[in-house]
Amino acid sequence: MAAPCMSCGAAASYRLFLAGRVSFAREQGLWKAAASGLQTGTRCQILRLKHSPGVTKKNVAALRRESYTVDFIKKQIEEFNIGKRHLANMMGEDPETFTQEDVDRAITYLFPSGLFEKRARPIMKHPEEIFPKQRAIQWGDDGRPFHFLFYTGKQSYYSLMHEAYGKVLHVEERQDQLRAKGLFSEKPKTKDPIGSRWLIKEELEEMLVEKLSDQDYAQFTRLLERLSALPCDAAEEEFVGRFRRTVTIQSKKHLIEPLQYDEQGMAFSTGQGKRKTANAEAVVYGHGSGKIEINGVDYLLYFPVTQDREQLMFPFHFLDRLGKHDVTCTVSGGGRSSQAGAIRLAVARALCSFITEDEVEWMRQAGLLTTDPRVRERKKPGQEGARRKFTWKKR
Amino acid sequence: MKERRGTPNLHEVGRIMLKGMTRLVSRVHKLDPGRFLHLGTQASQCLVAHLNNQVPNESPRAISRTLENDPAKHGEQHVGRHYSIPAQDLETALPHGLPPRFVMQVKTFNEACLMVRKPALELLHYLKNTNFAHPAVRYVLYGEKGTGKTLSLCHIIHFCAKQDWLILHIPDAHLWVKNCRDLLQSTYNKQRFDQPLEASIWLKNFKTANERFLSQIKVQDKYVWNKRESTEKGSPLAEVVEQGIMRVRNATDAVGIVLKELKRQSSLGIFRLLVAVDGVNALWGRTTLKREDKSPIAPEELALIYNLRKMVKNDWQGGAIVLTVSQTGSLFKPRKAYLPQELLGKEGFDTLDPFIPILVSNYNPKEFEGCIQYYLENNWLQHEKAHTEEGKKELLFLSNRNPGLLERLCAYL
């Protein structure tokens, strides 16, 4: 699908990432999501919002590929800077020390949006991040291309591979020299496997401003792995480091409340939970017999349905602490199922104070500590419900 | 240990008993994302895949059965154990008294086993020490839904049958105040209504329960049924019952006569009378029955209810009255009500006052163990995790030791 667009457009070999529209495409958030998918070891389907320009072209034949000239980008950058200063002025801050985070905060304050999709909300970022990178004209007036690898089609990619391989050869040569001299020492490389990851294909394409195939990407990764496995010096480390990104470990963000003690010396801990419109607050006591009291009523009477009681059982059963804790909780709002879910979340959060960090991590992976983001979808005009359309009559 | 084997049971040989160590190993399995799907209504399917540690269990299990089949000899040491009721006792003493789920269980297991529990034992103790010269004492069994009030009542009835009492057992008074198809105007009293169907069914069951007494008791009045039939004074009660069964129109009157005669004659000391009513709060509640002009009928306008109320008053000697209040069949009462005050209403409470309330609560841990044991022995729990400690804990949690709920849960396993 990419082929027709590569060939058409005779004069310019502009690589357009966007189907004519500016925003969304290269938000960092997209990469993060994709990168974390890679981290778990599976190559998941990476969203391709913008590539395959052939997709959008069918309907909009009249729309030409928009090209952003260098002057245009420069003008946008100037406008952005001026706009930033105006914004700082509006917010009463000092224009000189107005950072991008301040800009984001100001925009969310001035344009509050209830949209769920974060990428659809108003943003104000540097034009470099918004407009896709484009290649300048790659040949001179005489028609001769500047780069020696221009006729390969993917000049940046092949030049990068060439450079990397040159470095590999260089390192191996140095190793041979050292071995010849007898000063060679087998130093095992210790690289931190968790803290960083290789660039994913989209990131690499964005960096090189070129389209790559999966095999190209695989080759590239293999070469870099080979390079990093050899004993390199600082320059090569820095070269490899350009293609690695750090990865944040999710669970460290979770705060664990310390245990509290009441008058009798019994340890207890509170937690709050939400699900749809139900709010629950639970107090879990350290030593007990497995009694659960909800709004002053025993849980057997409050939840006559077995399914709700199973939900309540889930955190305790997961941690093998079925008969060991007493729970007192209050819940309001929602229906029977959402109240059960809210209490489950509150209980799981409260239990975090009683257990080890590993178990907290397991609970998080089990999904016990995540608020369920599903809420009722609004009804749209012209439809009978959120998704259901009116009965279609042929005539 | 010999007495506990009813049938040889393979499960007991290879019990899977998890020690603490395996919990840690099993945690490794927990990280498998496929396991986290919450499984639906199959209650005991655990989320963790256990390793099978086939360690035969040496620690003492709860014994779930006892060979003592005579309720008179049941004592504290039998609490939590099941005793079986022989088949002919079942037919004679309890033709209509057992709750329907229990009847199904009896049919499945081919035996009727009741658990001995504290409230029943307490009642038995009182009954054994009743002074028959005093007016009949009223005992009210109350408790939340599914705690075992009806089955305790059946235990008492079995005891009394063994002791040769005359048993007047109304299985569910709620059935008499709702869903009645044919209401006739009473022949005896124009204000009241007859319920021929219910009365005749009850008479039949009463006959099977108390055959031997019916020929002994003699009627003390003459009753004229219609122009051609009448019952003379001095004829056995069996005739009245026969009349009621054959002539369905007069069944309600027959019931009324039976009740009156029994009340009168129990004070004489020929026999001892046990009045057992399940769901006695129906007598003072509301009914769902309506007259032809759609106006509601009060309970006292039903002849059966009117006579039963007279029975439940403690103005006679020579027996005992054991009652149960239940919300399950009741009309217009909130689900969470279980106290006698709430269910009987002011009128009923005043009429029944003074009475001895006996609370029937959920199983205590020993009884719970006994119940699970019983199911395991009968091979009722087929799930492989059912006899592990973990499985038991789950069942405990999910049913909160409520007998009725536990039975329903185990039905799925």
Side-chain angles (χ1 to χ4, degrees):
Chain A
M1 276 229 294
C5 276
M6 287 291 280
S7 52
C8 73
S13 63
Y14 289 151
R15 206 47 226 105
L16 267 186
F17 286 121
L18 211 38
R21 269 176 300 140
V22 171
S23 57
F24 295 88
R26 296 154 23 112
E27 273 289 346
Q28 297 298 322
L30 173 64
W31 299 143
K32 278 208 182 92
S36 64
L38 187 67
Q39 196 211 343
T40 58
T42 58
R43 278 260 347 210
C44 41
Q45 278 293 348
I46 298 175
L47 291 174
R48 290 168 162 274
L49 268 193
K50 26 183 240 204
H51 310 294
S52 43
V55 174
T56 45
K57 285 310 162 198
K58 288 194 181 112
N59 313 341
V60 214
L63 194 67
R64 272 177 300 114
R65 252 179 282 136
E66 283 182 34
S67 45
Y68 305 112
T69 52
V70 179
D71 302 326
F72 174 78
I73 300 274
K74 267 207 208 123
K75 204 164 71 120
Q76 293 292 317
I77 295 178
E78 276 168 27
E79 279 183 14
F80 172 73
N81 286 328
I82 296 176
K84 223 166 71 160
R85 294 182 76 88
H86 277 301
L87 188 62
N89 222 2
M90 264 194 274
M91 301 297 290
E93 311 246 354
D94 180 18
E96 305 299 326
T97 56
F98 205 57
T99 59
Q100 185 57 43
E101 285 151 15
D102 297 327
V103 171
D104 293 332
R105 245 184 308 129
I107 293 289
T108 40
Y109 172 70
L110 290 170
F111 301 99
S113 160
L115 298 174
F116 286 126
E117 177 67 61
K118 298 273 192 311
R119 293 172 293 187
R121 296 182 181 176
I123 46 171
M124 182 166 160
K125 300 238 186 247
H126 192 84
E128 289 282 293
E129 295 168 33
I130 298 186
F131 294 101
K133 272 198 248 174
Q134 294 178 338
R135 272 195 260 169
I137 302 183
Q138 278 141 6
W139 52 85
D141 295 330
D142 52 352
R144 273 188 86 217
F146 295 133
H147 203 282
F148 73 104
L149 287 174
F150 174 77
Y151 288 108
T152 60
K154 302 181 238 186
Q155 62 182 45
S156 329
Y157 170 72
Y158 283 113
S159 75
L160 179 63
M161 296 289 279
H162 179 71
E163 198 184 332
Y165 192 61
K167 287 199 176 357
V168 167
L169 290 178
H170 181 68
V171 168
E172 282 180 350
E173 200 187 304
R174 208 175 53 223
Q175 265 192 329
D176 290 337
Q177 284 174 359
L178 282 180
R179 227 181 259 130
K181 284 192 204 156
L183 298 174
F184 184 70
S185 53
E186 289 282 352
K187 202 176 37 170
K189 268 282 189 65
T190 48
K191 207 173 198 139
D192 181 15
I194 299 183
S196 58
R197 56 165 179 87
W198 292 117
L199 283 184
I200 52 170
K201 187 161 165 241
E202 267 70 13
E203 284 177 342
L204 188 60
E205 282 181 349
E206 179 195 359
M207 201 174 178
L208 301 176
V209 199
E210 249 173 22
K211 198 146 162 89
L212 299 177
S213 76
D214 289 332
Q215 292 86 356
D216 296 337
Y217 175 72
Q219 284 279 51
F220 169 74
T221 316
R222 248 180 276 149
L223 186 58
L224 278 186
E225 293 264 349
R226 187 174 156 195
L227 177 58
S228 67
L230 299 170
C232 309
D233 55 1
E236 276 129 30
E237 294 279 353
E238 191 256 319
F239 173 75
V240 170
R242 268 185 13 215
F243 301 103
R244 286 195 79 97
R245 296 276 178 270
T246 49
V247 150
T248 49
I249 301 180
Q250 190 63 276
S251 65
K252 295 282 192 286
K253 297 180 197 161
H254 191 73
L255 294 163
I256 300 181
E257 304 288 323
L259 277 179
Q260 303 165 53
Y261 292 88
D262 64 358
E263 304 89 45
Q264 277 88 17
M266 170 89 97
F268 73 97
S269 153
T270 46
Q272 293 191 328
K274 273 199 217 195
R275 170 91 215 271
K276 279 191 183 175
T277 27
N279 284 300
E281 189 175 316
V283 179
V284 175
Y285 292 95
H287 300 282
S289 59
K291 266 195 315 123
I292 302 189
E293 197 165 311
I294 307 174
N295 287 353
V297 181
D298 192 43
Y299 70 107
L300 198 66
L301 296 180
Y302 197 79
F303 289 128
V305 179
T306 313
Q307 175 195 339
D308 300 332
R309 275 174 281 140
E310 282 179 28
Q311 289 285 310
L312 291 191
M313 187 172 82
F314 187 16
F316 294 111
H317 183 267
F318 190 76
L319 300 168
D320 282 331
R321 284 164 180 250
L322 263 176
K324 297 193 193 142
H325 294 281
D326 266 347
V327 179
T328 313
C329 54
T330 50
V331 68
S332 62
R336 127 200 109 102
S337 187
S338 36
Q339 279 187 347
I343 299 179
R344 178 184 112 176
L345 183 60
V347 160
R349 285 209 180 129
L351 274 179
C352 283
S353 319
F354 289 95
I355 53 178
T356 60
E357 284 212 15
D358 286 342
E359 292 181 320
V360 174
E361 177 60 24
W362 285 326
M363 280 227 284
R364 188 191 68 82
Q365 290 187 359
L368 275 168
L369 299 176
T370 330
T371 319
D372 202 331
R374 298 179 286 180
V375 284
R376 193 167 157 266
E377 202 174 306
R378 77 162 260 211
K379 173 194 170 327
K380 284 105 191 170
Q383 294 177 5
E384 196 172 314
R387 300 282 172 103
R388 158 122 177 109
K389 322 283 185 276
F390 288 118
T391 316
W392 181 72
K393 298 256 176 52
K394 200 158 183 177
R395 50 188 69 83
Chain B
M1 300 285 264
K2 274 194 191 156
E3 66 168 334
R4 70 178 189 219
R5 300 280 166 132
T7 49
N9 199 323
L10 291 175
H11 285 284
E12 292 162 1
V13 176
R15 289 189 55 123
I16 301 175
M17 190 67 175
L18 275 187
K19 296 184 190 162
M21 270 306 292
T22 56
R23 301 269 157 87
L24 202 57
V25 181
S26 60
R27 288 245 171 76
V28 174
H29 293 266
K30 274 182 188 164
L31 295 181
D32 182 0
R35 301 272 160 133
F36 297 141
L37 295 171
H38 182 67
L39 305 167
T41 52
Q42 295 302 314
S44 231
Q45 286 184 25
C46 297
L47 297 171
V48 177
H50 299 297
L51 296 179
N52 280 330
N53 254 353
Q54 297 273 354
V55 175
N57 185 21
E58 297 300 331
S59 60
R61 261 188 307 112
I63 301 175
S64 76
R65 280 187 201 255
T66 171
L67 290 177
E68 186 58 68
N69 277 350
D70 186 7
K73 305 207 190 86
H74 284 157
E76 291 286 319
Q77 70 275 20
H78 294 116
V79 170
R81 313 239 188 122
H82 291 82
Y83 80 97
S84 69
I85 307 181
Q88 75 263 39
D89 272 357
L90 205 60
E91 280 164 26
T92 45
L94 296 164
H96 54 173
L98 299 169
R101 282 195 82 98
F102 189 72
V103 169
M104 288 196 286
Q105 185 180 308
V106 166
K107 197 166 156 211
T108 315
F109 291 165
N110 245 353
E111 56 176 3
C113 277
L114 278 191
M115 192 196 273
V116 179
R117 296 182 70 196
K118 272 225 183 69
L121 280 179
E122 201 185 321
L123 245 187
L124 283 176
H125 176 72
Y126 293 149
L127 283 178
K128 283 178 205 165
N129 300 346
T130 39
N131 184 346
F132 294 106
H134 290 168
V137 189
R138 287 182 284 224
Y139 307 95
V140 173
L141 289 165
Y142 70 103
E144 303 203 342
K145 182 171 163 184
T147 44
K149 305 181 280 288
T150 311
L151 279 182
S152 298
L153 195 66
C154 295
H155 190 176
I156 307 294
I157 292 177
H158 185 217
F159 164 74
C160 293
K162 276 274 183 14
Q163 303 275 310
D164 247 0
W165 292 36
L166 207 167
I167 303 183
L168 196 75
H169 178 44
I170 288 107
D172 196 356
H174 293 297
L175 294 175
W176 287 358
V177 295
K178 50 182 178 175
N179 298 340
C180 176
R181 291 284 175 78
D182 32 4
L183 275 182
L184 303 173
Q185 209 185 25
S186 168
T187 44
Y188 184 70
N189 185 337
K190 293 278 181 279
Q191 308 296 332
R192 295 192 222 141
F193 290 94
D194 264 2
Q195 283 154 300
L197 259 184
E198 280 91 15
S200 58
I201 295 170
W202 185 80
L203 276 176
K204 278 193 210 120
N205 287 325
F206 179 71
K207 190 169 146 196
T208 36
N210 301 304
E211 292 269 16
R212 55 188 187 285
F213 285 106
L214 292 179
S215 39
Q216 292 168 17
I217 304 174
K218 309 286 176 211
V219 174
Q220 283 171 2
D221 268 334
K222 180 173 163 167
Y223 298 107
V224 177
W225 301 110
N226 47 30
K227 284 195 220 127
R228 272 168 278 171
E229 290 171 23
S230 67
T231 313
E232 299 301 321
K233 179 168 166 175
S235 53
L237 203 56
E239 265 196 40
V240 177
V241 178
E242 274 306 317
Q243 181 72 29
I245 295 177
M246 282 193 320
R247 296 262 177 274
V248 183
R249 285 195 63 184
N250 300 330
T252 320
D253 294 328
V255 171
I257 293 172
V258 162
L259 292 180
K260 193 163 82 175
E261 289 298 322
L262 287 178
K263 191 163 156 183
R264 222 192 283 171
Q265 298 194 14
S266 70
S267 323
L268 303 177
I270 317 169
F271 56 84
R272 282 170 289 181
L273 181 63
L274 173 75
V275 178
V277 185
D278 202 334
V280 76
N281 45 332
L283 302 186
W284 288 281
R286 283 158 62 182
T287 64
T288 43
L289 307 172
K290 295 198 173 69
R291 279 178 261 256
E292 284 86 20
D293 52 355
K294 311 274 192 216
S295 57
I297 303 180
E300 23 315 315
E301 294 177 24
L302 290 168
L304 284 176
I305 306 291
Y306 183 79
N307 293 326
L308 201 54
R309 277 197 198 177
K310 283 196 273 186
M311 206 63 202
V312 175
K313 268 202 285 191
N314 56 352
D315 48 1
W316 50 278
Q317 300 104 353
I321 310 178
V322 183
L323 309 167
T324 321
V325 283
S326 91
Q327 194 275 332
T328 318
S330 71
L331 299 163
F332 308 104
K333 288 278 183 272
R335 181 170 65 89
K336 304 213 174 146
Y338 72 99
L339 298 167
Q341 172 80 20
E342 297 162 349
L343 286 174
L344 288 171
K346 188 167 178 316
E347 198 194 325
F349 195 80
D350 290 334
T351 324
L352 280 187
D353 204 16
F355 60 87
I356 301 181
I358 302 178
L359 172 66
V360 183
S361 59
N362 291 332
Y363 282 151
N364 57 27
K366 196 168 147 216
E367 290 172 343
F368 180 78
E369 280 290 326
C371 188
I372 298 273
Q373 253 341 93
Y374 175 65
Y375 286 137
L376 284 173
E377 275 171 21
N378 284 49
N379 286 342
W380 186 233
L381 301 175
Q382 288 295 325
H383 200 276
E384 60 271 3
K385 305 226 180 75
H387 37 243
T388 57
E389 279 303 313
E390 296 234 345
K392 279 191 206 151
K393 274 196 210 160
E394 284 185 40
L395 282 174
L396 209 159
F397 187 99
L398 278 177
S399 63
N400 203 19
R401 294 203 289 256
N402 185 300
L405 267 185
L406 181 64
E407 197 261 317
R408 266 161 232 265
L409 273 182
C410 294
Y412 290 119
L413 299 176

